[in-house]
Amino acid sequence: MPVELVTIPCLSDNYAFLLREEDSGRVALIDAPESGPIIAELEARGWTLDEILLTHHHPDHIDGVPDLVAKYGAKVTGASADAHRLPPLDQAVADGDTILFGGTVAHVLDVSGHTVGHIAFHFFDDNIVFSADSLMALGCGRLFEGDAAMMWTTMQKFIAMPDQTVVCSGHEYTSSNAAFALTIEPDNAALQTRVAAIKAARDKGAFTVPSLLSDEKATNPFLRAHLPELQKAIGMEGADAAEVFREVRTRKDNF
């Protein structure tokens, strides 16, 4: 079924997303950094809010939930593994579960690393994945709770998705991520082209999120730890991909 995707900037650099399933008219929100901009967007479009899907427990992804539930009576879905530190859930889900949303379906993926219990929502038929702070535009989330091996397992789940997948991540960090990516693969022509496009977009005040997974596969160092060209670029040819990922993540932490 056709869906409509709306990106909403929140706080200083967060994104929330509205997804409307056109046949049923049902509207879902993915993450709720704050309520004000989300309510304003819903009212401008004449929409109500049926569901809230939460990716992880950090305050900048859940603080808007109480206001939105109070105003719209939306049902809240989140990870069962994270339920003890999320707002009250109407539906607790885990890796491998599916969520029926109007005439379309979301597949739930465990994408732990940034936090343990972080989930993504993959609308496979619609080619959209809500990755929040796991896979990000030209980056990945800092490893606050998980480790590099865990996050590399997560990255492989995104690598396996179709190239045309639209990646809806949680923050406008793309410019700083791009500057770091150039330190890893300075000779990557696709990366050079993308960095120029990012600068042009930001100079105009445009969003760089969502991004296309094909672009992430070609330019995001955190999705490329298994590739000989990246391994060669950092002097780790033939190394285990998880160890290459660990090195790239360590360099980013110190960037």
Side-chain angles (χ1 to χ4, degrees), residues 17-215:
F17 301 93
L18 293 174
L19 194 68
R20 182 177 183 272
E21 202 275 324
E22 292 184 5
D23 281 9
S24 66
R26 293 185 65 80
V27 177
L29 170 73
I30 296 83
D31 285 344
E34 59 177 334
S35 59
I38 296 164
I39 292 171
E41 190 68 43
L42 287 164
E43 292 187 345
R45 293 172 177 274
W47 294 354
T48 188
L49 183 63
D50 300 293
E51 300 184 40
I52 301 172
L53 309 180
L54 300 177
T55 61
H56 66 296
H57 70 89
H58 283 161
D60 63 332
H61 291 259
I62 66 171
D63 275 358
V65 171
D67 287 350
L68 294 166
V69 169
K71 184 172 179 64
Y72 298 105
K75 302 302 182 185
V76 181
T77 297
S80 55
D82 231 6
H84 60 291
R85 49 188 186 175
L86 290 171
L89 299 178
D90 298 290
Q91 181 176 215
V93 294
D95 185 71
D97 287 348
T98 56
I99 300 167
L100 185 62
F101 174 60
T104 194
V105 174
H107 298 264
V108 179
L109 301 173
D110 183 329
V111 292
S112 292
H114 177 65
T115 65
V116 174
H118 194 310
I119 56 175
F121 300 95
H122 185 199
F123 288 78
F124 182 86
D125 291 340
D126 304 293
N127 290 310
I128 302 171
V129 64
F130 296 95
S131 58
D133 294 1
S134 53
L135 177 62
M136 308 181 85
L138 268 179
C140 76
R142 187 180 289 267
L143 304 181
F144 287 122
E145 297 175 9
D147 58 22
M150 182 183 289
M151 190 61 122
W152 176 240
T153 296
T154 284
M155 292 298 105
Q156 291 175 84
K157 295 181 181 182
F158 293 110
I159 291 168
M161 292 180 186
D163 285 356
Q164 65 268 30
T165 304
V166 174
V167 180
C168 298
S169 53
H171 291 273
E172 185 59 64
Y173 291 166
T174 318
S175 294
S176 59
N177 287 344
F180 170 72
L182 282 172
T183 71
I184 298 296
E185 287 191 285
D187 298 326
N188 181 331
L191 176 59
Q192 294 168 358
T193 299
R194 188 176 180 193
V195 170
I198 288 164
K199 183 179 188 306
R202 295 306 291 157
D203 285 348
K204 293 188 293 187
F207 306 156
T208 65
V209 174
S211 59
L212 198 60
L213 186 57
S214 57
D215 291 336

